[in-house]
């Protein structure tokens, strides 16, 4: 176990978990591993980290083993210069992480870019994924979706690169804009999303994933084309309907793909569902986990 010095800005009362490190080929991945029992693996997106899942980890780790890594370039993980930071890199490292820890019969909890990153693992290893819990995300090409194309074009441009790296724009400005109720994002909590990126060089990953929203359309389409491999898996969807990007239309697509879904829609919640719902998400997830015990096996 490598020694890890946690930054002083991390509020131990909000995030009271032991920090651990996994040595990926490109750098150290920070993660938390709390509790015992069935594995719940929380996969975050852009520009968040395992901190976003803290309420679920605290509320479920008395009955489950809750594991939440920070992708390279995010949270408390290393942020080496010169990496692509494309979603395929994170997907490869997630697969390495799961294999190295020997995780079996996993329930994947996915959000934002954590959707395709986790979905990629599930498609490659359907026999090892017991359930899916889906927050606002998509795992298909967004080409032709005007809002997504405009966002990716603007943020992925040289000007967007400058703004992201110079002003830490993604966590500083984008997170509040896609919250359903901005009052839920207190200044203290907001700082936990801003401070993982203290220097321009440390902010490359946030820009790359914004650019990849359209740039990696072929990879995303290849994931969705294989979705039938997971057709029998129990799925719970928790959708924040005030999300301007991943709202009701994306929910309908998930529901069509997984007819045996269990859906909870929240009209006043925005994109960062786990952050906004907080402890209120624990009970419905617990109910889903206890109700759906069957492992369907590979499709």
């Amino acid at each position: 176990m490598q020694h890890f010095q946690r930054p002083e800005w991390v509020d131990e009362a909000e995030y009271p978990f032991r920090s651990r490190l996994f040595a990926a080929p490109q750098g150290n991945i920070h993660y938390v591993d709390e509790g015992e029992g069935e594995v719940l693996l929380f996969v975050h997106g852009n520009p968040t980290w395992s901190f976003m899942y803290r309420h679920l980890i605290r509320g479920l780790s008395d009955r489950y083993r809750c594991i939440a890594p920070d992708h390279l370039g995010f949270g408390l993980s290393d942020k080496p210069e010169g990496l692509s930071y494309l979603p395929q890199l994170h997907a490869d490292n997630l697969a390495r992480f799961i294999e190295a820890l020997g995780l079996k019969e996993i329930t994947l909890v996915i959000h934002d870019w954590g959707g395709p990153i986790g979905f990629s693992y599930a498609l490659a290893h359907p026999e090892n994924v017991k359930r899916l819990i889906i927050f606002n995300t998509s795992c298909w090409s967004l080409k032709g979706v005007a809002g997504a194309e405009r966002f990716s074009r603007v943020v992925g441009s040289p000007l967007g690169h400058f703004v992201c790296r110079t002003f830490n724009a993604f966590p500083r400005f984008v997170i509040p804009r896609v919250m359903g109720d901005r009052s839920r994002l207190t200044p203290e909590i907001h700082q936990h999303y801003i401070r993982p990126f203290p220097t321009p060089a440390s902010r490359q990953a946030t820009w790359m994933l914004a650019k990849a929203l359209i740039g990696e359309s072929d990879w995303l389409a290849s994931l969705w084309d294989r979705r039938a491999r997971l057709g029998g898996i129990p799925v719970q969807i928790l959708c924040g309907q005030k999300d301007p990007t991943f709202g009701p239309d994306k929910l309908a697509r998930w529901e069509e793909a997984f007819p045996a879904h269990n859906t909870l829609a929240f009209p006043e919640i925005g994109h960062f569902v786990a952050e906004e719902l907080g402890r209120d998400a624990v009970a419905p997830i617990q109910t889903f986990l206890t109700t759906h015990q069957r492992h369907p096996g590979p499709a």
Side-chain angles (χ1 to χ4, degrees):
M1 176 70 183
Q2 299 182 55
H3 176 70
F4 179 77
Q5 183 65 45
R6 182 178 285 184
E8 292 183 359
W9 53 261
V10 177
D11 185 339
E12 299 288 342
E14 283 286 343
Y15 189 78
F17 314 123
R18 177 185 173 188
S19 287
R20 305 167 187 265
L21 295 178
F22 167 71
Q26 309 89 349
N28 287 325
I29 290 176
H30 171 270
Y31 70 102
V32 297
D33 186 343
E34 300 285 318
E36 297 180 353
E38 284 189 61
V39 174
L40 310 183
L41 181 60
F42 298 84
V43 190
H44 72 83
N46 185 22
T48 58
W49 54 294
S50 54
F51 180 81
M52 185 186 68
Y53 291 119
R54 65 196 182 280
H55 296 297
L56 296 179
I57 296 169
R58 293 174 78 168
L60 294 166
S61 58
D62 61 335
R63 289 152 286 182
Y64 300 93
R65 183 182 176 189
C66 297
I67 303 174
D70 303 341
H71 304 308
L72 285 177
F74 293 90
L76 305 185
S77 290
D78 287 350
K79 301 173 179 65
E81 294 190 51
L83 289 189
S84 73
Y85 289 116
L86 291 174
Q88 297 92 324
L89 170 78
H90 303 306
D92 288 346
N93 279 333
L94 182 68
R96 288 190 184 95
F97 177 81
I98 291 170
E99 182 177 1
L101 269 65
L103 306 182
K104 303 296 182 184
E105 298 282 295
I106 299 165
T107 294
L108 277 172
V109 185
I110 56 178
H111 172 254
D112 190 83
W113 269 108
I117 291 166
F119 207 63
S120 175
Y121 178 83
L123 290 168
H125 305 276
E127 75 289 344
N128 200 35
V129 176
K130 186 172 184 177
R131 313 177 191 87
L132 282 176
I133 298 175
I134 301 170
F135 293 112
N136 291 30
T137 185
S138 63
C139 292
W140 50 83
S141 170
L142 295 175
K143 274 187 178 178
V145 179
E149 288 199 339
R150 182 169 56 251
F151 176 83
S152 188
R153 181 173 63 251
V154 171
V155 178
S157 69
L159 175 61
H161 185 246
F162 172 79
V163 171
C164 283
R165 284 178 64 100
T166 304
F167 300 106
N168 202 13
F170 219 95
R172 191 176 296 276
F173 304 122
V174 175
I175 287 180
R177 287 183 63 85
V178 296
M179 297 284 288
D181 179 358
R182 295 188 191 185
S183 69
R184 295 173 183 261
L185 186 70
T186 67
E188 294 77 16
I189 296 302
H190 195 188
Q191 284 298 312
H192 283 75
Y193 295 113
I194 293 171
R195 296 190 70 169
F197 310 103
T199 65
S202 70
R203 300 164 188 163
Q204 181 72 4
T206 65
W207 177 73
M208 282 303 302
L209 284 185
K211 185 178 180 181
L213 196 63
I214 298 300
E216 298 308 309
S217 292
D218 290 346
W219 181 70
L220 291 168
S222 75
L223 297 180
W224 197 244
D225 286 346
R226 291 179 285 145
R227 63 190 180 277
R229 296 203 75 195
L230 301 173
I233 198 169
V235 171
Q236 182 178 46
I237 308 168
L238 296 94
C239 179
Q241 295 192 297
K242 287 187 76 171
D243 186 341
T245 304
F246 299 101
D249 59 323
K250 306 302 188 297
L251 169 61
R253 195 159 186 178
W254 281 113
E255 289 179 328
E256 182 181 1
F258 295 96
H261 60 267
N262 171 271
T263 294
L264 295 171
F266 302 94
E268 300 304 315
I269 298 294
H271 180 63
F272 296 99
V273 184
E275 180 62 61
E276 291 194 63
L277 280 180
R279 287 182 288 272
D280 291 340
V282 173
I285 289 176
Q286 172 65 54
T287 298
F288 169 76
L289 294 172
T290 55
T291 303
H292 295 84
Q293 293 290 341
R294 181 180 63 88
H295 187 282

